[in-house]
Amino acid sequence: MPINIPRAPKKKEVTQKIRVGKKFVSQLPKGMHDVLPADFAYVERIEKIFKKVAAFYGFERIETPVVEDVKLFERGTGLTSEVVQKQMFLLKVSGGEGTLALRPEYTPGVARAYIESGLVHTMLPAKFYYEGPVFRHEQPQHGRFRQFHQIGFEIFGSDDPSYDAQVIVATYKIFDEMKIKDVVVKINSIGCKNCRPAYVKKLKEYYKNKQSKLCRDCAKRYNDNPLRLLDCKEEKCQPFKAEAPQMLDHLCASCKRHFTSVLEYLDGVGIPYLIDQTLVRGLDYYTRTVFEIFAAGVESALGGGGRYDYLFETLGGPKIAAVGSAPGVERIIMAAKAQNIQLPPKLRPKALLIYMGDEAKKKAFVLLEEFYRAGIVVHEAFSRDSLKSQLRVADKEGVELALILGQREVFEEVIIVRDMKSGNQETIPLKRIVEEIKKRV
Ligand code: HAM
């Protein structure tokens, strides 16, 4: 008896109402978020571009543990940084192993791994890239999570300004290839060991008799980390910031040359930048170039980085100049969504395998594996035994063909190939079906 195949009911979503009782105990921890399939479309696009860019510039992948000894961040990221002071997730480990921290950033861990693994003896300069989760116990708000994801570049072993420019260009390319518009690099130089102390002294002199008028954070910054007085966002501190002495006027000749050279490299390849003398960054290890990258539609930085020529020494290692950058994946996705960026269409399966009856289902199960071996993407709807609902799935997945097996087809060792658009169908011997579909892919 021929199979009477109904047309797939159009435009009807395959959804089901499932009641979730009140007893379902689950609460996402504050500041955490799930990454659901719709967002993975963005994540995968970002990863693809990121890896292409990394490969082009010769970066090699590295991954460090999610937990590290807290001392690594106290010494590396720095005791005066907000990240270390307020934002670390700490784990007390029994057995005298001290305290571990969920990494609040990658940079000190990558530096540690470079020395500890001995790569320092074989790779110099060394270029690394990484991607993974990062944890900061911040007050959650728009674009600020407690677990987020960074992708990043680090270059160890050179203080050449072309490398400062290269990490900026490589980072910029990710946004550019994502088609994010109105991207701007804010850039500054915060000098080196030679010129910064004199500038900081001047800055403190300037702020000395203004301390009582500053916000509470700035009053603390005055003693702990005076440079950060410059990036305060509080209304009451703005007039003082505007009149404060500027770092660029106090750079030593070598830092000045370095900064000019970085800008020239950026000019050479047309990267739009804005010199922002209030940009100092929140992590303690930076020297010379610092930058943050912004885009229309998102208030916070999509990425940031800079040069850190003393980090290795601070960690007790040799002197190794370094520069790097780390964009946040969630922020890139926010910008892409705010700017209505369309992703390339998802690759659709060519066909859906449809079965009627137990024997046909078993045959379809085996046939699916033959398609896998042939490298042809074919989907199934094994949880839906009715023909109508399987056809709905075929429609929802947008497949061109439905491959239909009934009891009779199994018996006669054939399969029906139905064109989902026209409704035309033909019967093909089962042993030829993979080859036949291959021709049409
Ligand atoms: P950062 O500026 O602290 O730098 O973070 C880099 C990026 O991570 C930010 O621009 C932002 O996109 C993202 N991000 C930071 N905090 C959050 C958050 N709470 N929620 C969502 N996204 C966030 C660093 O981490 C340095 N390690 C960068 C670097 C690499 N410097 C040199 N090499």
Side-chain angles (χ1 to χ4, degrees), residues 83 104-108 130 136 138 143-146 148-150 153-154 281 283 285-286 292 301-306 308 323-331:
V83 169
E105 59 151 341
Y106 266 92
T107 308
Y130 49 80
R136 292 185 191 173
E138 303 203 58
R144 206 165 277 283
F145 302 102
R146 289 185 172 175
F148 56 99
H149 298 81
Q150 283 187 341
F153 301 113
E154 311 290 352
R281 305 271 300 139
L283 314 174
Y285 47 65
Y286 290 110
E292 284 182 351
L302 301 197
Y308 48 99
V323 63
S325 156
V329 173
E330 286 77 3
R331 301 259 175 97

Side-chain angles (χ1 to χ4, degrees), residues 46 49-62 106-107 110 126-131 150-156 163 166-175 285-286 291 293 304-306 308 322-327:
I46 294 166
I49 294 170
F50 172 56
K51 286 183 181 163
K52 178 182 133 187
V53 172
F56 179 82
Y57 292 104
F59 287 88
E60 297 198 53
R61 187 160 183 177
I62 194 164
Y106 266 92
T107 308
V110 177
K127 290 177 162 185
F128 295 112
Y129 78 92
Y130 49 80
E131 60 168 301
Q150 283 187 341
I151 51 180
F153 301 113
E154 311 290 352
I155 303 180
F156 298 155
Y163 282 140
Q166 188 173 84
V167 293
I168 295 173
V169 173
T171 308
Y172 184 90
K173 273 218 175 85
I174 297 168
F175 309 139
Y285 47 65
Y286 290 110
F291 61 89
I293 307 187
Y308 48 99
V323 63
S325 156

